[in-house]
Amino acid sequence: ASYGNNTSAIADPTRYPFLTINSALSNVSSGQTVFVRPGTYSEKITMPAGVALRGANTQTVTIQQLNTTSNTTLLTMGSNCRVEDITFNLSSTSNVNLTGIDWPSGTPLTSKLRTMVLNVTSSGTGSNTIVGMLSSGSSATTYSASDAVRSCTIGVDASSAGIVRGLYVTGSNWFSSRDVNYNVRGTGSNIVGVETTNVGAYASLKHSTVRGGNGTGTNYDINR
C-alpha cells in the first residue's frame, strides 16, 4: 500500500509489489496466491476462481469501504478460492444496502474464509438491508465436512429499520462455519444473528457464538 507500483509490478511481478489488490488479482491465474503486505486498502474485492488471497495478519492488513453512499458489497467470493488473515471494514451513514461478504452459488462448498475479522456498520435509519455474510445462491445440500468459514469474527452494528443479519442464508445451499463469533446489534426491530429463510437451506454452526439484537420485537440470535 505504501511502496507498490502497479505498472512495474505488471511488467515484473516476481520482483516488484503491486499498489492495489485488484491489480494483483487481475494478473494472477488459478492456483496462485496474492500475498498482501501491511497496509490499508480502500477497495472492493471480487475473488477469481482458484486464487488465494492472504494478508500478513488481521492487525496489519485492512480492506475497507468507509462512508459509502451506494449499495456496496465489500468481498465477493469465487469458486475454489481462499481468503485469510485480513480485516474487512464496511460502513455507511446513508440509507444504502451493505453486504460484507457475498457467497455466490456453489462457493459455500468450494471456497474458504479463514482467520478474518469483518465489521459492517450503518447509521442509516431507512429500511435498508445490512448483512455481514450473504449466501443467496444454491449448492448441493447434502452434508459436507468442509467449513466455508473458520476462526473468524463477524460484527454487524446497524440502525436500519430493515433486515440486519450476521449470516443470512436465503438460497437452497449448505453453509457451514466453525469457531466463529457472530455479534449483531443495533436499534432496529429486525435483527438476527444467523438466519435461514429457504426451506432447502442448511446453516451448520460448530463451536460458535451467536448474538442477535436485543431480545425484543423480531430480534433473535438464531432464526430458521
Side-chain angles (χ1 to χ4, degrees):
S2 298
Y3 306 111
N5 184 293
N6 289 336
T7 302
S8 59
I10 290 172
D12 193 350
T14 62
R15 292 184 60 193
Y16 300 108
F18 288 87
L19 176 64
T20 62
I21 297 171
N22 276 303
S23 185
L25 288 174
S26 66
N27 285 276
V28 297
S29 56
S30 180
Q32 293 184 316
T33 300
V34 172
F35 292 95
V36 187
R37 296 181 179 181
T40 298
Y41 302 83
S42 296
E43 305 180 55
K44 294 179 288 186
I45 305 297
T46 297
M47 290 298 298
V51 171
L53 182 68
R54 184 166 190 173
N57 60 66
T58 57
Q59 289 182 296
T60 61
V61 175
T62 300
I63 297 174
Q64 64 183 24
Q65 290 283 282
L66 303 182
N67 299 319
T68 182
T69 57
S70 59
N71 296 341
T72 301
T73 297
L74 187 56
L75 170 65
T76 301
M77 299 296 284
S79 61
N80 297 294
C81 74
R82 184 181 180 101
V83 179
E84 58 188 317
D85 297 325
I86 297 172
T87 291
F88 291 89
N89 294 326
L90 176 60
S91 71
S92 180
T93 60
S94 304
N95 290 319
V96 297
N97 300 328
L98 301 179
T99 300
I101 302 172
D102 180 41
W103 297 78
S105 290
T107 57
L109 292 182
T110 65
S111 295
K112 296 175 176 61
L113 200 65
R114 298 289 185 267
T115 320
M116 179 274 309
V117 176
L118 170 66
N119 300 301
V120 180
T121 306
S122 173
S123 58
T125 56
S127 297
N128 306 105
T129 299
I130 312 298
V131 176
M133 294 193 299
L134 173 65
S135 181
S136 60
S138 60
S139 73
T141 54
T142 55
Y143 173 79
S144 172
S146 176
D147 297 315
V149 184
R150 184 166 185 174
S151 302
C152 296
T153 298
I154 312 297
V156 178
D157 190 347
S159 302
S160 173
I163 292 171
V164 179
R165 302 290 185 269
L167 171 62
Y168 197 33
V169 184
T170 64
S172 179
N173 59 60
W174 181 285
F175 196 102
S176 177
S177 66
R178 184 183 184 94
D179 304 317
V180 177
N181 291 322
Y182 297 94
N183 184 24
V184 186
R185 59 182 181 175
T187 58
S189 60
N190 191 1
I191 302 172
V192 180
V194 174
E195 181 174 46
T196 61
T197 63
N198 189 292
V199 68
Y202 292 84
S204 176
L205 310 174
K206 311 169 188 176
H207 305 285
S208 298
T209 301
V210 182
R211 177 183 183 272
N214 53 23
T216 62
T218 54
N219 295 330
Y220 304 101
D221 295 326
I222 298 173
N223 195 34
R224 182 177 66 172

